Amino acid sequence: MKVLSPLIQVALVQSTVCVAGYTNESEVPYYGRSPAVYPSPIGNGSTSTAWETAYKRAKALVSKLTVEEKTNLTRGHDGQCVGNSGAVPRLSIPSLCFSDAPDGLRGQEFVSAFPAGIHVASTWDRSLMYEYGHALGEEYHDKGVNVALGPVAGPLGRLARGGRNWEGLGADPYLAGVGMGAITKGIQEAGVIANAKHWLLNEEEWRRNPGDMGEALSSNVDDRTLHELYAFPFMDSLKEGIRSVMCSYQRSNHSYGCQNSKLMNGILKTELGFDGFVVSDWDAQHAGVASANAGLDIVMPDGGFWGRNLTRAVNNGSVTADRLDDMVTRILAAWYLTGQDEGFPAPGMYSEADKHDPIDVQRDHADLIQEIGSAGTVLVKNVNNTLPFTNSTRFLSVYGYDATVSAAPWSNPSRYGGGYEVNFGWTTFNGTLFTGGGSGGSTPPYVVSPFQALQERTSRNRGTLRWDFYSENPTPAYVNSDACLVFINAYASEAFDRTSLTDEFSDNLVKNVAANCSNTIVVIHSAGIRTVDAWINHPNVTAVLYGGLPGQESGHSLADILYGDVNPSGRLPYTVAKNESDYGSLLNSTVSFDAFPEVNFTEGLYIDYRAFDRKEITPRFEFGFGLSYTTFKYSDFHVKSTGNRTSALVDPSIAIVQGGHPELWDTLFEVTASITNTGDVAGSEVAQLYVEIPNAPVRQLRGFERVPLTAGETKTVTFPLTRRDLSIWDVVAQQWRLQHAEYSVFVGASSRILHLNGTLEIE
């Protein structure tokens, strides 16, 4: 057998899985090409009794529709919502309302601005992820939105400067998967159809759509990496019963996402048993018949390639009548399954064309937003217990554009995304950052800025505040201050990728304040990675907090941490390097002016901390890192087999359900460890489980738990390890393979602080 090229070796991660039968590297399925998978599977609701019942009702209704009515249901229409499906009034089928964003209803009044996905991931808290999803679902439901466009695991965060990384749930498939599953469950238990996006490989914004320069970029990836990294988190969403998925803009292995039959027919609807419907990203459909046959079920926003064209295609046999029936059945089955036929609020979305009395859907969600805001704040430096403030901390000086709110953030409320970057030379300082830009951005009813919250605390304590929000070198330096707080941020948005992970003005601001203040505390609100080596080792920089994108209660969440009402427990969901160059080829988007631009995922499975581990690069702050106001001890490590089947491959006689083969979710081993709070204040530790899977990256996250502990308290944490957690994707068998080998297992406080270790063996 021919020795594989370095490219394919990377793609297969030097797997020992047999590739017999392939004499040429181009035959190894598959890299840079997307195999055709036809016909599109007909959904049947076999995933559960509830799905099966919904399908029976949907099919009965579809049998009463004309071809024209069916095609009308599969195309978007203009209307009150961001997206609106067709309706059939004679059969009481309403138009379904689709709306952004994954962190709150965009462009609306009396709605909440929740923390962004990346901030929720920073909590590493499963229960908060669910509560977040449920609260979002309640607001969507009360506004009459049938389909909420979220949660997000695409982008996963392959590129450090990716413009939309902040919408997702961290740069690890396991962490993102837990978030996807919990948020999906929360949204749908509130009576709203969740929409997992973007399927798949939408990792950068540069040339995501075709235009004057040519086609959209092609994300070229090998089969194993596609499964183990990029499809992995979507599986959790599918297992929790998600009812819709959004296909992505760019090409994947040279086929556009919304007409890629391998991704939709092959992986999503066959391999992973998806019974719901696939909706296009807005204007992401680039062909009519091809997208229909590849598995697209409804097009947004206006269905230019469908409508009458789809009717003609069905009548002339280019698209089968069965395929059209399946499209409509999937949409209506999701509607029935969610119970929206039993009485659902009419859309109450405000727009310039449809003004009405606003509907208040905020409930008591501000409390949850504040809690998540604090839980996702990551303390990364705290010299000599600078934080929390004590009763004697009464004189504070506040510096930086990020401390206060923008003077006029509402220039375009329908597309409001914060817009709080500092772009010197053409715009002014824009205030504190609590969300990112573009369709994923939230629209706040108000914003509690850090400065407002500090004023509240200072007035309560009869203290003193001094401030300068806009100077690069603030004067005078208030040498009598107990502490100087410097607020900076790092903005990102849909439609473009970041050009830097730092900025000169903000770095100079920190250094200038630190030069005159011996107790300088830096707070960074960022849409992702923000490097800090320009000043992190300055002796007067005593504490540093990554404040993330915390939503409308930003200041209150931060004050809770600063004053010790909440002990910080946030952990980084990505790796912060010492130098931007440490990210190597995973720093920038691929800028190409070719007519057919290419981006090759030649790093395979090695992104973020996996890449740093492989190259033995020491990061500034590793994935999973974060400090606390107390200390913890790890002990009593144990691994126990559950006795479930450990055959190399799953039982082929068992039917696939939504989320994949049922045996993938069987727990094969349980790892336990004891965590003790050895300090004198209560706090939560985020215990993390990493596994060294043979023929794979040296460490992969495979479990975590946020554990609240009072001073001196000990709790035992149990980490279940499923078949999927311990398997690799066999590119020849086209199945998940469990290797009969010894696996090293680690438990600790980050990807590099590993307190306990042991092994498990699969015979």
Side-chain angles (χ1 to χ4, degrees):
M1 183 172 63
K2 179 180 176 180
V3 176
L4 299 180
S5 72
L7 180 65
I8 300 299
Q9 287 182 23
V10 170
L12 299 179
V13 200
Q14 297 177 333
S15 174
T16 57
V17 175
C18 177
V19 289
Y22 293 95
T23 59
N24 188 293
E25 62 202 32
S26 65
E27 296 177 3
V28 177
Y30 47 84
Y31 188 91
R33 57 198 175 103
S34 192
V37 179
Y38 298 103
S40 187
I42 302 297
N44 56 24
S46 61
T47 291
S48 67
T49 301
W51 262 117
E52 187 176 11
T53 300
Y55 258 84
K56 287 180 180 178
R57 296 181 67 190
K59 287 180 178 180
L61 189 55
V62 169
S63 69
K64 301 176 183 178
L65 298 173
T66 66
V67 171
E68 291 76 14
E69 287 171 334
K70 293 173 187 176
T71 58
N72 183 47
L73 290 177
T74 65
R75 65 173 295 197
H77 296 267
D78 291 334
Q80 190 179 136
C81 303
V82 172
N84 307 270
S85 70
V88 183
R90 73 177 183 89
L91 293 175
S92 300
I93 301 175
S95 171
L96 300 185
C97 170
F98 294 67
S99 189
D100 303 307
D103 57 355
L105 281 150
R106 177 169 58 85
Q108 296 300 306
E109 299 167 336
F110 292 94
V111 299
S112 301
F114 290 84
I118 199 71
H119 195 99
V120 178
S122 299
T123 70
W124 293 62
D125 188 309
R126 297 166 186 264
S127 62
L128 286 180
M129 292 170 179
Y130 169 80
E131 290 178 44
Y132 173 84
H134 195 264
L136 278 169
E138 289 177 330
E139 296 205 6
Y140 276 99
H141 176 276
D142 293 353
K143 280 285 188 183
V145 176
N146 302 89
V147 184
L149 301 179
V152 177
L156 181 64
R158 173 180 180 263
L159 298 178
R161 291 180 175 176
R164 298 186 79 174
N165 291 352
W166 61 275
E167 295 182 43
L169 291 153
D172 177 85
Y174 185 90
L175 175 62
V178 170
M180 287 288 281
I183 295 170
T184 294
K185 184 178 181 181
I187 290 173
Q188 296 193 160
E189 287 188 353
V192 174
I193 297 169
N195 175 256
K197 63 181 193 179
H198 304 87
W199 178 266
L200 196 62
L201 307 174
N202 187 178
E203 292 296 315
E204 58 188 86
E205 293 299 281
W206 172 258
R207 293 188 67 179
R208 62 182 183 166
N209 279 314
D212 294 338
M213 286 187 285
E215 300 300 325
L217 66 83
S218 178
S219 297
N220 301 328
V221 65
D222 67 275
D223 189 30
R224 180 176 174 187
T225 298
L226 188 152
H227 282 82
E228 292 186 31
L229 271 187
Y230 299 103
F232 192 102
F234 285 87
M235 294 174 70
D236 294 78
S237 221
L238 291 163
K239 184 176 184 294
E240 290 296 345
I242 198 153
R243 285 143 208 181
S244 68
V245 169
M246 182 185 292
C247 54
S248 59
Y249 280 124
Q250 87 301 330
R251 295 180 296 149
S252 297
N253 289 324
H254 297 102
S255 175
Y256 274 104
C258 291
Q259 61 194 60
N260 190 310
S261 64
K262 173 62 177 179
L263 290 183
M264 292 190 291
N265 289 342
I267 297 176
L268 183 62
K269 290 184 175 181
T270 300
E271 183 186 310
L272 299 179
F274 180 50
D275 276 322
F277 62 87
V278 179
V279 59
S280 71
D281 205 338
W282 270 231
D283 294 315
Q285 185 193 39
H286 303 301
V289 170
S291 60
N293 290 334
L296 182 63
D297 299 306
I298 182 169
V299 60
M300 288 292 170
D302 58 8
F305 286 95
W306 282 1
R308 292 179 181 177
N309 292 332
L310 183 56
T311 300
R312 284 194 288 268
V314 172
N315 288 336
N316 68 26
S318 300
V319 175
T320 67
D322 285 346
R323 171 81 270 259
L324 178 60
D325 284 354
D326 183 56
M327 296 180 198
V328 181
T329 300
R330 287 172 177 274
I331 297 166
L332 293 177
W335 178 62
Y336 278 127
L337 182 61
T338 316
Q340 293 181 355
D341 64 305
E342 299 172 359
F344 195 79
M349 307 292 281
Y350 172 89
S351 68
E352 288 298 321
D354 184 18
K355 297 180 180 179
H356 53 76
D357 291 336
I359 300 170
D360 185 351
V361 300
Q362 298 170 90
R363 304 196 187 193
D364 59 354
H365 296 153
D367 293 340
L368 177 63
I369 292 168
Q370 183 173 342
E371 181 182 0
I372 294 173
S374 297
T377 298
V378 186
L379 178 68
V380 296
K381 184 176 182 179
N382 193 26
V383 177
N384 298 325
N385 298 320
T386 295
L387 295 175
F389 293 149
T390 64
N391 291 334
S392 63
T393 310
R394 299 179 60 222
F395 186 177
L396 299 176
S397 293
V398 179
Y399 302 102
Y401 56 92
D402 183 75
T404 189
V405 294
S406 167
W410 303 106
S411 59
N412 187 356
S414 68
R415 200 71 174 178
Y416 180 61
Y420 293 139
E421 78 274 38
V422 179
N423 290 300
F424 305 99
W426 64 272
T427 191
T428 57
F429 303 104
N430 284 323
T432 196
L433 185 69
F434 62 90
T435 187
S439 64
S442 59
T443 306
Y446 58 83
V447 179
V448 178
S449 70
F451 185 66
Q452 177 184 334
L454 289 170
Q455 287 199 98
E456 293 171 3
R457 295 281 184 148
T458 301
S459 65
R460 190 186 311 167
N461 297 338
R462 297 184 180 274
T464 295
L465 275 180
R466 293 290 183 265
W467 60 90
D468 182 344
F469 301 136
Y470 305 122
S471 299
E472 183 177 1
N473 191 5
T475 57
Y478 291 103
V479 295
N480 292 326
S481 298
D482 296 317
C484 302
L485 290 98
V486 185
F487 290 87
I488 60 177
N489 67 44
Y491 177 76
S493 174
E494 179 183 9
F496 58 88
D497 294 307
R498 298 167 67 186
T499 57
S500 177
L501 301 180
T502 183
D503 74 84
E504 185 178 2
F505 179 94
S506 300
D507 286 343
N508 286 340
L509 172 62
V510 174
K511 288 186 285 188
N512 290 337
V513 172
N516 295 289
C517 182
S518 61
N519 189 22
T520 298
I521 299 164
V522 183
V523 178
I524 308 166
H525 287 116
S526 63
I529 298 166
R530 208 291 186 181
T531 55
V532 295
D533 268 58
W535 43 262
I536 190 68
N537 290 321
H538 194 293
N540 289 345
V541 174
T542 55
V544 179
L545 291 150
Y546 278 80
L549 298 175
Q552 69 192 44
E553 295 290 329
S554 174
H556 288 154
S557 297
L558 179 64
D560 285 344
I561 297 289
L562 294 174
Y563 287 88
D565 298 340
V566 174
N567 193 335
S569 62
R571 300 292 183 264
L572 292 173
Y574 45 70
T575 297
V576 177
K578 293 180 177 180
N579 304 293
E580 291 196 39
S581 60
D582 290 343
Y583 294 102
S585 62
L586 300 179
L587 175 63
N588 292 314
S589 54
T590 304
V591 178
S592 169
F593 298 95
D594 293 344
F596 296 89
E598 310 275 344
V599 51
N600 295 315
F601 291 27
T602 54
E603 73 286 343
L605 300 173
Y606 293 92
I607 69 169
D608 200 76
Y609 70 93
R610 301 159 178 233
F612 279 72
D613 289 346
R614 186 188 199 193
K615 297 176 182 178
E616 298 183 343
I617 298 172
T618 301
R620 172 55 58 195
F621 302 118
E622 71 270 18
F623 175 84
F625 177 75
L627 301 175
S628 171
Y629 295 154
T630 187
T631 55
F632 302 96
K633 178 184 176 183
Y634 287 66
S635 61
D636 300 328
F637 178 91
H638 297 285
V639 180
K640 178 184 177 182
S641 171
T642 63
N644 283 326
R645 255 173 37 94
T646 57
S647 58
L649 302 176
V650 295
D651 184 347
S653 68
I654 299 176
I656 300 294
V657 296
Q658 186 159 303
H661 194 288
E663 287 188 343
L664 291 175
W665 304 95
D666 288 346
T667 298
L668 304 186
F669 294 88
E670 290 183 342
V671 178
T672 57
S674 295
I675 317 295
T676 302
N677 182 345
T678 55
D680 55 8
V681 295
S684 293
E685 172 69 326
V686 176
Q688 301 165 41
L689 173 74
Y690 293 85
V691 177
E692 182 177 349
I693 299 171
N695 306 300
V698 64
R699 278 182 293 278
Q700 297 186 68
L701 180 71
R702 285 298 185 261
F704 65 86
E705 199 68 40
R706 182 172 180 247
V707 187
L709 295 163
T710 59
E713 184 180 13
T714 298
K715 288 182 180 177
T716 298
V717 182
T718 300
F719 303 99
L721 283 169
T722 67
R723 172 183 282 270
R724 184 188 66 151
D725 293 335
L726 298 170
S727 296
I728 63 173
W729 179 255
D730 185 330
V731 300
V732 177
Q734 289 291 288
Q735 292 189 46
W736 291 93
R737 177 178 291 277
L738 198 63
Q739 300 170 87
H740 291 165
E742 186 174 271
Y743 295 61
S744 296
V745 184
F746 310 88
V747 175
S750 77
S751 62
R752 294 208 169 186
I753 303 174
L754 302 168
H755 298 294
L756 306 173
N757 66 84
T759 60
L760 62 84
E761 188 169 358
I762 298 175
E763 299 178 347

